[in-house]
Amino acid sequence: MTLPSKVQIIDVGPRDGLQNEKQPVPAAIKIELVHKLQEAGLQEIEVTSFVSPKWVPQMGDNAQVMAGIARKAGVRYSVLTPNMKGFEAALPTRPDEIVVFGSASEAFSQKNINCSIAESIERFAPVVEAALAQGMAVRGAMSCTVGCPYEGDIAPEKVAYLASLMKEIGVQRVDVADTIGVGTPRKVQAAIEATLGYYDIAHISGHFHDTYGQALANTLAAMEVGVSNFQSSVAGLGGCPYAKGATGNVATEDVVYMLHGMDIETGIDLDKLVDAGQFISEHLGRKNQSRVAVALLNKRAG
Ligand code: HMG
Ligand code: MG
């Protein structure tokens, strides 16, 4: 087993993290969070989503947030676009990458995006085509690849099916997401292996929520099968409004601490990252959900 020597992290905190907040977060705070993440060395940031403001009012300021970011060279800014309406709204804001998001579970697809898996692919296809024509990169998030809040366990065959559809419409890379954080290492590896039938390992990333405290173990398990790209949220923010009970993504600070401790490069400055996480936690008036951040903040205070 050889682990990667370098890992690329996409911080999804501004999107996955803040989409689930009860209290409105001003656009200026979101913009400041993105700035702090890029200062900390993040090279990929998922900024917002161009979804219906009736469904997810928290992301209603999408264009304003995109327009307010002072972009740093070398950083890839991505946004979620579920359909052509979302893509057309996103286009003038010049994202580097758009993300279509499907589900391995039929029930979750219905609850989250109001259509079947097959219908979602029909909606994504013109989005993918238009994005590629504009020279934008295209990622596909695959939700509920190990478990679904409505259907329970998800078989790897369902993941393979979704990956095959994503591949068919031209999606360049995919995220194997454990939306509700129920996965354990072997199950996550099985979902990744199912995806490998359609995507090269370099084009698969891991997106693990930490509801059951398994996300770091799942990250290591994904690295064991060769994954070197992960999504996480600073301060462990996150959750999906249509996946009740699911908590945040694994904290970026926790992933970075583990990786650096294993001599795996990330290009991220952990101290600056802790500052970014503390900035948003204080704004939300909430305890920082990263164990590493809390430990380092205690050490600083002491
Ligand atoms: P729908 O109601 O079926 O859409 O929603 P529709 O096409 O019938 O349109 C209904 C209304 O919405 C119309 O407005 C449209 O114009 C408008 P009206 O005529 O009633 O005034 N509309 C839009 N407005 C703005 N932007 C758009 C858009 N599309 C339609 N793009 C839709 C379908 C997909 C839009 C809706 O279900 C939706 O917005 N869902 C969002 C779900 C979401 O954001 N979930 C969280 C992100 S996924 C996630 O967190 C998982 C992930 O992290 C990975 C993991 O952990 O698994 C990625
Ligand atoms: Mg998520």
Side-chain angles (χ1 to χ4, degrees):
M1 176 186 72
T2 29
L3 294 177
S5 57
K6 199 173 182 301
V7 157
Q8 177 94 346
I9 294 179
I10 308 179
D11 198 292
V12 297
R15 195 280 305 168
D16 201 334
L18 300 181
Q19 75 181 9
N20 209 31
E21 282 304 318
K22 299 264 179 311
Q23 49 181 321
V25 178
I29 298 286
K30 296 176 178 174
I31 293 164
E32 182 68 20
L33 176 61
V34 171
H35 289 165
K36 288 192 184 301
L37 290 170
Q38 63 194 23
E39 272 164 38
L42 265 302
Q43 288 182 325
E44 295 197 58
I45 304 174
E46 199 172 271
V47 177
T48 186
S49 56
F50 287 83
V51 298
S52 161
K54 284 186 194 144
W55 284 63
V56 185
Q58 293 88 337
M59 298 285 108
D61 58 1
N62 40 33
Q64 195 188 345
V65 173
M66 284 298 282
I69 297 168
R71 296 197 192 190
K72 190 175 166 193
V75 176
R76 178 181 279 200
Y77 302 91
S78 54
V79 301
L80 268 56
T81 54
N83 52 22
M84 276 312 281
K85 186 166 171 94
F87 177 75
E88 278 154 14
L91 184 59
T93 75
R94 298 182 300 107
D96 300 300
E97 180 177 62
I98 58 102
V99 184
V100 291
F101 49 106
S103 170
S105 141
E106 277 295 349
F108 187 74
S109 182
Q110 288 291 353
K111 299 273 185 193
N112 194 42
I113 50 176
N114 205 26
C115 61
S116 68
I117 296 171
E119 284 161 348
S120 74
I121 293 296
E122 279 171 34
R123 293 180 189 180
F124 300 157
V127 175
V128 173
E129 196 186 338
L132 294 174
Q134 292 286 337
M136 288 176 188
V138 176
R139 180 153 55 87
M142 304 196 296
S143 291
C144 297
T145 60
V146 281
C148 165
Y150 311 101
E151 288 181 17
D153 281 353
I154 295 294
E157 293 70 37
K158 294 191 174 172
V159 182
Y161 172 65
L162 178 62
S164 74
L165 298 176
M166 290 274 187
K167 187 75 187 183
E168 257 174 46
I169 60 169
V171 170
Q172 294 166 314
R173 59 174 181 157
V174 286
D175 314 332
V176 174
D178 180 8
T179 313
I180 55 170
V182 291
T184 43
R186 296 286 172 253
K187 288 186 182 171
V188 162
Q189 286 177 338
I192 293 165
E193 273 150 18
T195 308
L196 277 171
Y198 302 92
Y199 284 90
D200 188 86
I201 196 73
H203 296 125
I204 297 176
S205 72
H207 175 119
F208 307 130
H209 285 259
D210 202 26
T211 319
Y212 286 80
Q214 305 297 301
L216 273 186
N218 291 341
T219 302
L220 184 57
M223 286 199 295
E224 281 178 4
V225 295
V227 174
S228 62
N229 186 290
F230 293 95
Q231 289 148 32
S232 55
S233 281
V234 71
L237 301 169
C240 174
Y242 301 99
K244 293 274 175 281
T247 61
N249 293 91
V250 64
T252 309
E253 297 90 318
D254 296 7
V255 175
V256 168
Y257 178 85
M258 178 179 85
L259 296 173
H260 289 183
M262 296 173 77
D263 290 325
I264 296 171
E265 268 179 60
T266 65
I268 294 169
D269 179 327
L270 183 54
D271 273 315
K272 287 187 179 168
L273 183 63
V274 168
D275 293 340
Q278 203 45 21
F279 162 78
I280 192 66
S281 300
E282 278 170 10
H283 174 82
L284 297 170
R286 147 132 26 109
K287 189 176 169 294
N288 195 315
Q289 296 297 305
S290 158
R291 300 281 287 267
V292 165
V294 170
L296 291 175
L297 288 163
N298 286 340
K299 205 170 157 192
R300 280 187 198 171

